[in-house]
Amino acid sequence: MTTTELPATEQATDPREPADRLFRDLRTTPDGLTDREAQRRLEAYGPNELTRRRGSGWVGELVRQLTHPLALLLWLAAVLAVVGGTVVLGAAIVVVILLNAGLAFAQERQAERAVEALAAYLPVLATVVRDGVTKSVEARTLVRGDVVVVAEGNRISADVRLFAGAVEIDNSTLTGESVPVIRSAEVTDVSGNLLDAGDLAFSGTNCTAGEARAVVFATGMHTELGRIAAMSQRVTREDSPLERQVKRVAWLIAAVAVGAGLLFLLLGVTVTGLSVPDALNFAIGLLVANVPEGLLPTITLALAVGVRVLARAGAVVKRLSAVETLGSTTVICTDKTGTLTQNRMHVTDVWTPSGPVALRPATTGAVRRLAEALALCSNASHDQTGADSGDPTEVALLRAAAELGADLDVGSRAKGRIAHFAFDPSVRLMSTVDRAGDAMTAHVKGAPEEVLARSTQFATTSGTELLTDAARAEFGRTFAEFESRGLRVIGVADRAVDPAAVPAVRVEAERDLVFLGVVAMLDPPRPEVAAAVRRCQAAGIRLIVVTGDNGLTAAEIARQVGIGREGTTVVTGAELDRMTEAELDRLLAEGNELIFARSSPEAKLRIADALRAEGNVVAMTGDGVNDAPALRRADIGVAMGASGTDVAREAATMVLTDDDFASIVTAVESGRQVYDNVRKFIVYIFAHATPEVVPFLIYALSGGRIPLPLTVLQILAIDLGTETLPALALGREPAEPGLMDRPPRRRGDGVINATMLARAWGLLGGLSALLVMGAFFWTLLAGGWRLGDPTGTGDPFHHLWLQATTMSFLGIIACQIGTAFAARTQYASLRTIGVTSNHLLLWGILFELVFAAVIVGVPLLASIFGMAVPPASYLLPLLAFPFIVWGADELWRLIRRRRRSAHGLGMSSS
């Protein structure tokens, strides 16, 4: 069910206007709506749900596969075959089309479930005030004007404005910021970004502390979560570089094939005197010979193999062509929280008024007091088995307390607790009163400046001293130094409590404190990230941090993992918003590693678009809801599988199952390897177009006096039978040395270039055509045939012609073997990688030999494909064909190596 559009007056409601005016505009009160009014609004405006726009579905995807340029060319050939009376040939071509489309469709099909994943962020139940009574209702029934209760542990059900109380909110799913933020009814903020407003909370975020009441001002698709969902649906996927290049080549092949077919059809009828059926048969043959039928399934299967290899390495690729796109990645825009970092707060520094403290069992009384305060003033739990519960910041503090030697037994803590004052976002403090024997102590922790403001003394190794203004200033400078490093700082204090006067209110517990010190923490970088960053930099891949987190924190993490250097430019969200497109383009064109902090979803999209406009191939990482639109827009969207949200995983092209940033680099290397191998088997496949086309040209130019050296069915047997397995084996060639030491290729670089075509069609194909035609004519002439002698069914030379076409067929297969070994390298000598190092290729060659022997030797198949076994003496020269083809290419590569060496060029692929 789709949500009904709200009236314009309600859409224009400003949630940051004064509370009394907001209640008036929403037609509600602090006591909430009545059940009857809530039901009326639910029927009028629809449920609090996220809706999705329907896509083209599986039918559209299948049609796309059936209308690929190469498929259209084959459709044309099938129609011509049927019109020409060769129904069997037409049916065979249709089977080829359906097999190609079915294979690609099965591999590419994936459901678009991003909005359903976003819907998972809406809780099932919400606490609401209706008819003045607090009750639980289904979250989908919330409407504008409802008053909801937000408490610790709740997930926010809709976009709300606080009007009583204060809470701490984990906004990371929307903003990417790792540190919880304070939201309070006492804070009014009518300027700046809506997500930064101090009195607003948003659908899909979590309350980590505190309690408040709030009024709902947006539900469903009108929330910030809904806006991101709508943005994700508007962002469409574009073809990958490989898909675009294959289509471009396919249209080129189609134009050449159709043009040549029409030209020779006209010449065959008007000049050389061919009959219309013969000329039509020739045109079909020319079309089929020009179309590399095995290209699409071979590319599809090779990419599928790459997908499986990456899956074993912890990277699940959801779209086949993404494997190749990874190899051309020039920029990685990486999130910070959960991607570069562990998404797990960790104490980095402990400081007391006496100086820094190492994280080991305490040796002084002051440090023991600090560790005890951290252990007791907490509601979280931690043990050595890793069974943690509670807020991540609280758990990190408990880990530090344990390292300092404190007792973390939850039972003892609960037994000794006398009073508990929960964290209050308005004062940013939490405190407890605890008994130990006959003594009672108040333990306080929170914002260091708030703790210090309530302290009158500070602890030293020898006792306590009065807290002077000079000491306060000195301590404040220490706090600032920690914060300048991007660390989150927690102040700790205690004071002795008279057992006869246990504080009843927090202001009594949190006064006249003894300041014990501070604990600084950070979400630390993953240990493997630094090495992965170095590999990226060596490969010429630019790294840009795009995060919703604090700029200082992002800069510190970037420094630790090796992204950029000291003084790396940090651009905040506000600064980016003020930049014109030209200014952003100039900044990105400098080529430096950058940090974009406090970035909104729109900012991430803008950065991705600007980089792509410069010709970059962009990989964008992310794990939060806010990352979904940018993940869809980037050439490669990379989501975290373990810690990431379902939203990010559904929007992304690749999911890292282990959340290991290093897997991205492994995927890039695999993508480069796949790209190189695709080029290798394209050379292999294209090399056989020349010996397949030349026979038809000879037939047409001779006006039919020279019989067809090769039939259309024989071409199909080569392209889909003998050729496929060796081509797939070339797709499994290991990576060549130096693969990750060369810069990424440019977006506009074609997978097929003039040098490749000259090698495939000219050298390998041209030489193969000469050898094949030589075998064909030698067989005919040795059998007594002379120019113009008929070879049709019933004619004396018909069997000889069958033997001659068989020689052409076997000659092409022999040349294929030489081409397969030649195509294994682009520059290097085959000796350097080992003649037998690709065992799959050896099995593929064995298969094509067996396949050819079966077609030629089995009478039924031989009659279908127009074959006849030649004399054994005719077959012996075919043994030399592979060595002639491979040897010529080896000589050509030797000349190229020497030429490039003379010019000081490397051996990277061109």
Side-chain angles (χ1 to χ4, degrees), residues 1 71 89 102 146 272 286 361 370 379 456 557 623 647 664 677 748 784 792 862:
M1 176 179 178
L89 176 59
D146 259 328
T272 60
L286 203 59
L370 184 147
N379 293 322
T456 56
I557 292 295
D623 58 358
V647 182
I664 301 175
N677 291 345

Side-chain angles (χ1 to χ4, degrees), residues 886-906:
W886 164 76
D889 190 75
E890 189 77 20
L891 179 61
W892 178 78
R893 280 181 280 120
L894 174 62
I895 294 171
R896 289 200 73 194
R897 287 197 302 273
R898 288 181 175 176
R899 185 178 302 161
R900 292 176 69 87
S901 178
H903 289 84
L905 300 175

Side-chain angles (χ1 to χ4, degrees), residues 48 50 117-124 139 142 153-160 169-175 195 201-207 218-220 223-226 228 624-626 645 647:
N48 179 32
L50 300 179
L118 278 163
Y121 278 82
L122 294 177
V124 177
L142 286 180
N154 291 165
R155 181 174 285 165
I156 311 300
S157 310
D159 287 0
V160 298
I169 298 292
D170 177 3
N171 254 358
S172 60
T173 55
L174 283 179
T175 66
L195 289 174
F202 298 93
S203 177
T205 61
N206 294 297
C207 176
T219 61
T223 63
E224 284 295 301
L225 196 65
I228 294 173
V625 172
N626 61 310
T645 62
V647 182

Side-chain angles (χ1 to χ4, degrees), residues 214-279:
V215 60
V216 174
F217 66 85
T219 61
M221 294 298 287
H222 301 285
T223 63
E224 284 295 301
L225 196 65
R227 184 177 63 82
I228 294 173
M231 195 186 309
S232 295
Q233 294 182 73
R234 287 194 298 270
V235 176
T236 57
R237 169 178 91 80
E238 296 183 3
D239 287 342
S240 74
L242 181 63
E243 287 171 322
R244 287 193 296 272
Q245 290 161 15
V246 169
K247 284 185 178 179
R248 192 180 304 127
V249 170
W251 284 118
L252 175 63
I253 292 172
V256 170
V258 172
L262 292 175
L263 175 63
F264 282 99
L265 178 64
L266 180 63
L267 291 177
V269 174
T270 61
V271 178
T272 60
L274 287 176
S275 65
V276 173
D278 285 344

Side-chain angles (χ1 to χ4, degrees), residues 353-609:
S354 299
V357 174
L359 281 170
R360 58 172 178 263
T363 57
T364 65
V367 178
R368 281 196 296 272
R369 286 171 66 179
L370 184 147
E372 185 177 273
L374 290 176
L376 296 175
C377 187
S378 177
N379 293 322
S381 64
H382 167 71
D383 61 40
Q384 299 303 318
T385 65
D388 301 334
S389 67
D391 179 76
T393 299
E394 294 286 304
V395 171
L397 293 174
L398 286 182
R399 289 196 195 100
E403 292 185 66
L404 292 171
D407 179 12
L408 302 186
D409 182 66
V410 176
S412 299
R413 181 176 68 189
K415 186 177 179 180
R417 182 170 291 181
I418 303 301
H420 170 224
F421 302 101
F423 178 80
D424 184 344
S426 61
V427 295
R428 297 187 291 168
L429 293 173
M430 171 187 177
S431 56
T432 60
V433 179
D434 305 283
R435 176 188 289 114
D438 295 331
M440 284 190 187
T441 308
H443 299 105
V444 181
K445 74 172 190 290
E449 61 273 21
E450 298 293 343
V451 175
L452 192 64
R454 290 162 176 77
S455 299
T456 56
Q457 302 177 75
F458 64 90
T460 67
T461 54
S462 57
T464 60
E465 294 183 17
L466 287 177
L467 190 58
T468 63
D469 290 342
R472 291 179 190 275
E474 182 183 346
F475 295 169
R477 286 192 291 272
T478 300
F479 307 159
E481 192 275 329
F482 282 130
E483 291 168 349
S484 70
R485 290 166 46 195
L487 302 176
R488 186 181 186 191
V489 185
I490 304 294
V492 186
D494 68 8
R495 81 173 179 90
V497 174
D498 184 353
V502 176
V505 292
R506 72 182 315 139
V507 68
E508 289 297 319
E510 298 167 355
R511 65 175 177 82
D512 300 328
L513 300 174
V514 178
F515 187 73
L516 302 176
V518 295
V519 178
M521 64 185 71
L522 184 72
D523 181 9
R526 296 176 176 275
E528 69 279 356
V529 168
V533 166
R534 289 193 296 272
R535 290 178 65 197
C536 283
Q537 292 165 338
I541 299 171
R542 182 182 179 190
L543 295 171
I544 296 177
V545 178
V546 186
T547 178
D549 213 340
N550 180 289
L552 289 172
T553 305
E556 174 62 17
I557 292 295
R559 184 192 63 79
Q560 291 185 28
V561 300
I563 297 177
R565 292 171 294 277
E566 295 293 341
T568 300
T569 301
V570 178
V571 180
T572 66
E575 292 170 340
L576 180 60
D577 289 342
R578 290 193 295 269
M579 281 186 181
T580 64
E581 296 301 327
E583 290 172 336
L584 177 60
D585 289 344
R586 282 195 296 272
L587 176 65
L588 294 175
E590 293 174 359
N592 299 322
E593 293 179 333
L594 302 168
I595 297 172
F596 289 93
R598 301 291 192 191
S599 298
S600 65
E602 292 88 350
K604 292 188 175 185
L605 276 177
R606 187 181 174 197
I607 293 165
D609 285 339

Side-chain angles (χ1 to χ4, degrees), residues 798-839:
H798 179 67
H799 184 73
L800 179 64
W801 173 71
L802 293 179
Q803 289 181 325
T805 60
T806 303
M807 285 293 290
S808 298
F809 174 78
L810 295 176
I812 290 178
I813 292 173
C815 291
Q816 275 183 334
I817 296 172
T819 301
F821 281 105
R824 289 186 60 195
T825 64
Q826 298 185 63
Y827 299 103
S829 169
L830 183 61
R831 179 177 55 83
T832 61
I833 63 172
V835 176
T836 61
S837 58
N838 189 336
H839 298 292

